Amino acid sequence: MRARFLGIPELTDVPDVAVVVDVMRAYTVAAWAFARGSERVVLAESLEDALALKARRPGWVTLKDGSPAPGFDLVNSPALLRDTDLAGRTVVQKTTAGTVGALAVKDASLVLCASFVVAEATARLLRQRAPREVTFVVTGGDGRAEEDLACAEYIAGRADDGDVVDAAPYLRRAGASRAADELRTGVREGSAPEDVALCLELDRFPFAMAAAVEDSLMVLRQVTPADAPPA
Ligand SMILES: O=C(O)[C@H](CS(=O)(=O)O)OP(=O)(O)O
Ligand SMILES: [Mg+2]
């Protein structure tokens, strides 16, 4: 499996298989939303679109990054979301980097959205599908965010080699990233002190997350890889 690692502005073609990585925090938060019972996460194009979707479907739950805002129910924080009961709910998520990255590859034949909490399930799906090439979309910092790059490289290694990749150096890199520092020091709004630790919980969840266009919306759903040994 050939892996290429691209920032959002570097996406000039439509990849076949894309893994969109946002560790801090969009795809850690989305995984927690599924763990709390959410049925699907709609990745919104804009804050206005998120609000318009909710206006048409009042039962939907809106979530944005940054500070809380009128019309939005939740912020992009795993610590602040993990006690929320989302059973059967549709969450509409809009963030600065993560959701933008997935929308940038919406025409790919397979789009997985990933972070450390779903790393092994994501790698396992890739092993099962065994594509010739995987495009990792490193969403933060125009492709240079250390937490996203570390996670993307780790998943790529696991997809190739199964158990032989030691996670520790990758988690250390992510923990030393600028994003982690900003979350620890409260520079990022809509955050809690436990966010960094929650974003670094390797394989916290057994499912992966796949996004696809449904009725013109980009919809993220959890996918549980078949319990098969690595290819
Ligand atoms: O909520 C976050 O941590 C970030 C905000 S920003 O990109 O640092 O402004 O959003 P995300 O899309 O989850 O990286
Ligand atoms: Mg991020």
Side-chain angles (χ1 to χ4, degrees):
M1 191 194 82
R2 195 173 92 86
R4 56 178 191 159
F5 302 91
L6 300 179
I8 296 170
E10 296 167 318
L11 291 164
T12 52
D13 55 14
V14 177
D16 176 28
V17 174
V19 178
V20 186
V21 180
D22 194 332
V23 173
M24 296 179 190
R25 297 164 287 171
Y27 296 133
T28 300
V29 167
W32 270 100
F34 288 122
R36 298 301 298 136
S38 177
E39 187 186 312
R40 58 185 177 166
V41 175
V42 174
L43 306 174
E45 299 265 1
S46 66
L47 296 174
E48 294 73 24
D49 281 2
L51 292 175
L53 287 166
K54 187 180 167 83
R56 291 204 298 275
R57 299 164 184 90
W60 287 15
V61 177
T62 43
L63 184 159
K64 71 180 279 294
D65 62 357
S67 52
F72 285 87
D73 305 298
L74 298 168
V75 290
N76 196 39
S77 160
L80 297 173
L81 176 133
R82 67 178 157 162
D83 294 326
T84 306
D85 181 5
L86 293 170
R89 307 295 291 275
T90 294
V91 172
V92 183
Q93 185 182 32
K94 168 70 180 96
T95 72
T96 305
T99 58
V100 176
L103 288 161
V105 292
K106 68 179 176 194
D107 294 323
S109 68
L110 176 66
V111 179
L112 300 175
C113 294
S115 61
F116 281 112
V117 297
V118 294
E120 169 53 20
T122 306
R124 181 179 287 203
L125 266 183
L126 293 173
R127 290 197 296 271
Q128 288 171 351
R129 178 147 172 155
R132 210 148 27 97
E133 179 177 85
V134 176
T135 299
F136 287 87
V137 182
V138 178
T139 60
D142 289 345
R144 287 185 295 276
E146 269 302 300
E147 74 283 9
D148 295 335
L149 198 50
C151 184
E153 290 173 0
Y154 175 69
I155 292 172
R158 289 295 296 257
D160 258 347
D161 295 329
D163 281 333
V164 301
V165 182
D166 176 13
Y170 298 92
L171 291 167
R172 262 199 305 277
R173 271 170 67 193
S177 66
R178 177 176 171 175
D181 203 42
E182 289 178 356
L183 287 168
R184 275 192 208 98
T185 54
V187 169
R188 288 196 188 189
E189 293 182 280
S191 64
E194 303 85 10
D195 276 353
V196 174
L198 289 169
C199 290
L200 299 180
E201 277 193 317
L202 185 67
D203 300 334
R204 175 75 174 74
F205 302 116
F207 55 81
M209 301 185 291
V213 177
E214 297 179 22
D215 297 329
S216 78
L217 297 175
M218 189 65 164
V219 176
L220 186 62
R221 294 182 184 273
Q222 56 177 321
V223 191
T224 303
D227 196 24

